[in-house]
Amino acid sequence: SWEYEWRDIQDFILPNRGRWLTTETNKGGKRNRKIYDGTGTYAMRTLASGLTAGITSPARPWFKLTTPDPDMMKFGAVKIWLEEVEEALAAMFANSNIYNVLSSAYEELGGFGTAPIMIYEDRQDVIRGYGMTIGEYYLANDDRGEANKLVRQMQWTVGAAVRRFGLDNLSRATQGLYNRGNLEVGITINHMVEPNDEYRPGLFGYKGKPWRSVWWEEGADKDKVLAKEGFDSKPFVAPRWNVIGMDVYGRGPGSDIIGDVIGLQAMTKKKARAVDKQIDPAMNLPGSMKKGSASYSLDPGTNNFVDGMGQGVNAQPAQVVTPNLAHFVADIQEVQRRIDHGAYKDLFLMLHQMDRAQITATEIIERKAEKLIGLGPVVERLNDELLEPLIDRAFDILMSAKDADGLPQMVPPPPPELQDVKLGVQFMSIFRQAQQQEDVTRTVGYVQNLGLMAQVTQDPSVLDNLDADEAAQILGNKGGVPATVVASEEKRDAKRQARVQAQQQMEQQMQAAQAVEAAKALSETQLNPNQNALGAMLGV
């Protein structure tokens, strides 16, 4: 029942997306025959680019790992290890195809409202994502309204299927194609991922994993299973733009603007027809010029032969059309504006429309955050359904990559404080960055104002209102300073203790030196020929 709307969105907004039959895979040809004005397509492209830059930009950090107990983040070993893991995850994403898949998923998400991604371990890149387009898959929800089952149907070549599953596991028909050398012929492969009802902790193979993946060949002998696999974490994410109740699939801006987009195509087509009638009208010609039979038409560029026009009469327009193109253009521009607004194009192109001659980077962040308020609920859903499970899955893959000694290959083992601790993740979207920048700005302003007040009033006790250690932590952590630069509490306290000890040692040395000088002075002070002042003090 969802496919009717999906097909409209495909026809009029995203013609190159959507696969309703496996035979459509890798097929070229024109798909945009119903589009006369590409405003909706361009707006969706801008939406995908804006989400990529604003949420998961490869050019800046967009996530941070955290601990359930905030006090644990004060330990230097914990902070440094988490930062090393963050850097390893960022490098793993950058060296894989994850960002390409995410960019494609954002366009799918904006158009059709749902955009699943398979996330697998990869021998070459450690991690690899596999995006899907609408029509290739179905989803199912669990009792909590979360997508926990995915079934997809794909067309594979015979050669690819043999490499993946082995020749003996495929159907007799496919084996025959392979043996005859028809390696590029397409066959239909089905794939399902779901919670593993056979899961038993400690068992070998897929039965020892909480998630199960099953592959089978369509139309094979009794739907023979090609492979069963197990996963420790859910191997797919299924973000949705907006969900109503317990619906399985989401609806995105494509659903909101499809009416305007279809109307825009009709308006653009009529405007073009009106212009054609004006510059190339149908003409009436004398019937004596007719050769053969011809019907009467008002279509642009046609000739109508009319009896009775008389000999020598010039050709005349069959219809005089003088359309008010200004009204046409104004109506079309209004619909285009509505489409751009519904797809958030005005939001993501805000910087392009601003006068940036007299604007600071902080002001840009603040203005962008203000405009992104309209996307707040969507960003929260993407955090829950895309980013958090993506980081969880990537973290599991990262930590499961072992070296020859069985130790983590890409990051060192976690410190003792993090043993058996489930980590959290904080996403550094443009909202979060703006909020943290605001905290830094306010903290700096408070410190400066207190210093100015102490100077003006000549009362340094006003600085007692400042918790300098907490202010330093805010400036370091929220200012994006690397953990290796910001001293941990134990390092800070160790420095202070060493400073106190050094000061005490210096004072003791000074006291000893003063005692030596005093003793020398007393020894040089003679009270009588047989006794000096020092001897008198000591009773000698």
Side-chain angles (χ1 to χ4, degrees):
S1 61
W2 293 77
E3 290 185 9
Y4 298 105
E5 183 175 273
W6 291 341
R7 286 178 181 269
D8 279 346
I9 294 172
Q10 179 197 36
D11 288 341
F12 294 99
I13 301 178
L14 297 174
N16 293 318
R17 296 198 171 274
R19 297 290 184 271
W20 312 105
L21 299 170
T22 56
T23 54
E24 295 179 354
T25 302
N26 202 34
K27 298 295 183 183
K30 294 184 66 175
R31 293 175 174 266
N32 58 351
R33 297 181 182 276
K34 296 183 179 180
I35 297 178
Y36 301 95
D37 185 305
T39 298
T41 304
Y42 307 146
M44 207 55 61
R45 183 191 305 166
T46 302
L47 173 65
S49 300
L51 290 175
T52 299
I55 298 178
T56 54
S57 171
R60 61 169 176 80
W62 51 270
F63 66 91
K64 289 188 69 66
L65 299 179
T66 61
T67 57
D69 183 1
D71 290 335
M72 292 186 66
M73 295 296 292
K74 297 179 180 179
F75 292 102
V78 172
K79 291 173 61 177
I80 292 175
W81 186 81
L82 291 178
E83 191 167 276
E84 289 178 345
V85 174
E86 291 165 7
E87 292 176 354
L89 287 171
M92 187 170 70
F93 289 150
N95 293 328
S96 70
N97 70 331
I98 290 296
Y99 286 117
N100 292 334
V101 172
L102 284 174
S103 178
S104 179
Y106 288 138
E107 189 172 32
E108 195 87 13
L109 190 69
F112 303 104
T114 309
I117 303 173
M118 298 295 304
I119 305 168
Y120 282 159
E121 298 180 47
D122 187 76
R123 292 180 180 179
Q124 182 174 338
D125 298 330
V126 185
I127 189 172
R128 190 162 186 82
Y130 296 87
M132 285 162 266
T133 190
I134 205 72
E136 288 183 332
Y137 63 86
Y138 287 125
L139 296 170
N141 280 352
D142 60 14
D143 59 304
R144 302 178 67 244
E146 296 180 353
N148 73 331
K149 181 180 290 189
L150 182 147
V151 184
R152 57 179 179 151
Q153 191 171 74
M154 302 160 286
Q155 186 182 71
W156 286 28
T157 64
V158 170
V162 170
R163 286 191 298 271
R164 175 66 171 80
F165 304 110
L167 181 61
D168 293 339
N169 292 321
L170 294 163
S171 67
R172 293 189 184 92
T174 302
Q175 292 178 18
L177 290 170
Y178 181 82
N179 292 330
R180 291 191 296 272
N182 297 322
L183 305 186
E184 301 304 319
V185 174
I187 62 173
T188 300
I189 300 293
N190 297 318
H191 181 213
M192 178 170 63
V193 179
E194 61 182 350
N196 189 2
D197 56 12
E198 301 175 275
Y199 172 54
R200 300 294 183 273
L203 291 183
F204 181 76
Y206 78 92
K207 292 186 178 181
K209 306 289 186 180
W211 290 89
R212 176 176 60 201
S213 169
V214 184
W215 300 79
W216 71 98
E217 182 182 353
E218 182 81 6
D221 315 319
K222 298 181 180 179
D223 283 337
K224 182 180 178 181
V225 172
L226 298 175
K228 283 187 178 182
E229 302 165 333
F231 299 93
D232 290 317
S233 55
K234 187 169 74 170
F236 72 89
V237 296
R240 297 165 292 184
W241 185 276
N242 184 31
V243 178
I244 301 173
M246 292 294 287
D247 283 353
V248 177
Y249 303 98
R251 283 186 166 89
S255 298
D256 298 333
I257 66 175
I258 186 61
D260 279 331
V261 171
I262 293 176
L264 178 63
Q265 310 314 312
M267 294 171 66
T268 303
K269 189 175 180 180
K270 287 183 178 180
K271 172 177 169 290
R273 185 174 176 81
V275 171
D276 276 350
K277 284 191 172 185
Q278 185 177 20
I279 64 177
D280 188 18
M283 301 297 293
N284 288 341
L285 302 174
S288 59
M289 299 177 64
K290 181 173 67 173
K291 295 181 180 180
S293 60
S295 60
Y296 195 85
S297 173
L298 294 178
D299 288 340
T302 59
N303 292 323
N304 302 307
F305 298 94
V306 181
D307 294 332
M309 288 186 64
Q311 189 71 23
V313 177
N314 295 327
Q316 299 174 352
Q319 182 184 32
V320 178
V321 178
T322 56
N324 190 331
L325 295 181
H327 290 172
F328 264 116
V329 172
D331 289 344
I332 287 175
Q333 288 177 342
E334 171 59 21
V335 177
Q336 290 173 332
R337 187 197 64 79
R338 292 203 303 262
I339 292 171
D340 287 344
H341 182 71
Y344 300 93
K345 183 177 179 179
D346 54 343
L347 185 156
F348 291 115
L349 293 184
M350 175 199 67
L351 295 183
H352 178 72
Q353 299 165 355
M354 284 168 43
D355 179 9
R356 287 171 285 177
Q358 303 293 330
I359 190 169
T360 65
T362 302
E363 289 177 299
I364 290 176
I365 291 178
E366 291 175 351
R367 293 191 188 185
K368 199 167 185 179
E370 180 181 356
K371 278 187 167 284
L372 282 173
I373 288 175
L375 276 179
V378 176
V379 173
E380 290 300 321
R381 178 172 289 280
L382 292 181
N383 287 349
D384 293 338
E385 296 188 348
L386 172 62
L387 304 182
E388 187 169 345
L390 172 62
I391 295 297
D392 287 345
R393 177 69 177 148
F395 180 81
D396 288 344
I397 292 175
L398 179 72
M399 298 306 293
S400 65
K402 306 292 188 201
D403 60 17
D405 297 325
L407 297 175
Q409 185 176 4
M410 301 182 68
V411 293
E417 295 88 349
L418 291 180
Q419 295 295 335
D420 301 323
V421 173
K422 181 173 176 57
L423 300 178
V425 61
Q426 184 181 85
F427 300 107
M428 307 301 293
S429 67
I430 196 68
F431 301 108
R432 186 68 180 172
Q433 287 187 29
Q435 182 182 9
Q436 292 198 340
Q437 184 62 38
E438 184 66 19
D439 291 342
V440 169
T441 302
R442 290 177 178 176
T443 301
V444 171
Y446 181 67
V447 173
Q448 291 176 341
N449 289 335
L450 279 183
L452 180 62
M453 187 181 299
Q455 183 179 357
V456 171
T457 61
Q458 296 184 350
D459 181 10
S461 64
V462 73
L463 298 177
D464 296 338
N465 292 283
L466 174 65
D467 187 337
D469 288 338
E470 187 64 26
Q473 289 294 321
I474 290 176
L475 294 178
N477 296 334
K478 297 191 175 184
V481 180
T484 51
V485 176
V486 181
S488 62
E489 285 191 354
E490 56 264 40
K491 281 189 176 181
R492 179 199 65 196
D493 294 341
K495 288 181 180 179
R496 289 176 176 174
Q497 186 176 0
R499 191 181 303 121
V500 171
Q501 290 176 349
Q503 186 174 357
Q504 290 175 347
Q505 186 177 2
M506 185 178 296
E507 290 176 353
Q508 290 172 357
Q509 291 175 349
M510 291 178 61
Q511 290 174 359
Q514 291 173 356
V516 170
E517 290 294 328
K520 181 180 178 182
L522 290 173
S523 67
E524 294 175 349
T525 304
Q526 291 294 130
L527 300 179
N528 55 57
N530 299 320
Q531 190 179 43
N532 56 29
L534 180 60
M537 288 182 62
L538 299 176
V540 179

